[in-house]
Amino acid sequence: MYAIIRAGGKQFRAEKGKTLRLPLMDAEAGAKVTFDEVLLSSDGQTIKAGTPLVQGAKVTGEVVGAGKEPKIYVFKFKRRKNYRRKTGHRQGYTEVRITDVKPG
């Protein structure tokens, strides 16, 4: 049993017991979260695709914690102009453990 959910403008495949790294959310560790934007759900036998959402489908999870991805470096350069800029970026994420998938 699985579902495709939308969280933070991106799509994720959610299965019971799986831990997802979602874009940073305003939730503390141990908090329960519910995802109502289910785009597709499957119970193992049938697949329901939403138009755009599956009616009655719901995915619940528990926030494990938050963190930051590894740093990526951005280097801007213009030849012959003595222009060089080096910056870094670390994207924040929230880890959510899926506790229940209701296909709807």
Side-chain angles (χ1 to χ4, degrees):
M1 187 180 312
Y2 70 92
I4 305 294
I5 61 170
R6 186 181 330 162
K10 298 179 180 177
Q11 296 177 10
F12 299 91
R13 179 183 168 127
E15 297 179 44
K16 187 174 180 177
K18 188 175 179 184
T19 302
L20 301 176
R21 279 191 175 181
L22 305 178
L24 195 60
M25 299 181 341
D26 234 6
E28 306 239 347
K32 305 285 187 210
V33 290
T34 304
F35 302 101
D36 295 326
E37 294 188 20
V38 178
L39 305 172
L40 183 137
S41 67
S42 171
D43 60 0
Q45 315 300 344
T46 60
I47 295 176
K48 293 182 185 176
T51 55
L53 303 176
V54 178
Q55 296 297 321
K58 185 168 60 169
V59 175
T60 58
E62 179 182 354
V63 176
V64 176
K68 288 187 174 184
E69 297 283 348
K71 181 175 272 196
I72 61 164
Y73 293 100
V74 180
F75 188 72
K76 298 180 180 181
F77 173 83
K78 295 192 181 186
R79 63 183 189 160
R80 297 190 300 268
K81 304 297 181 193
N82 198 24
Y83 175 81
R84 293 175 199 85
R85 301 290 183 268
K86 181 180 176 183
T87 60
H89 176 74
R90 292 184 72 188
Q91 185 69 37
Y93 65 84
T94 302
E95 277 192 326
V96 176
R97 183 177 300 114
I98 304 301
T99 56
D100 186 39
V101 177
K102 183 182 166 204

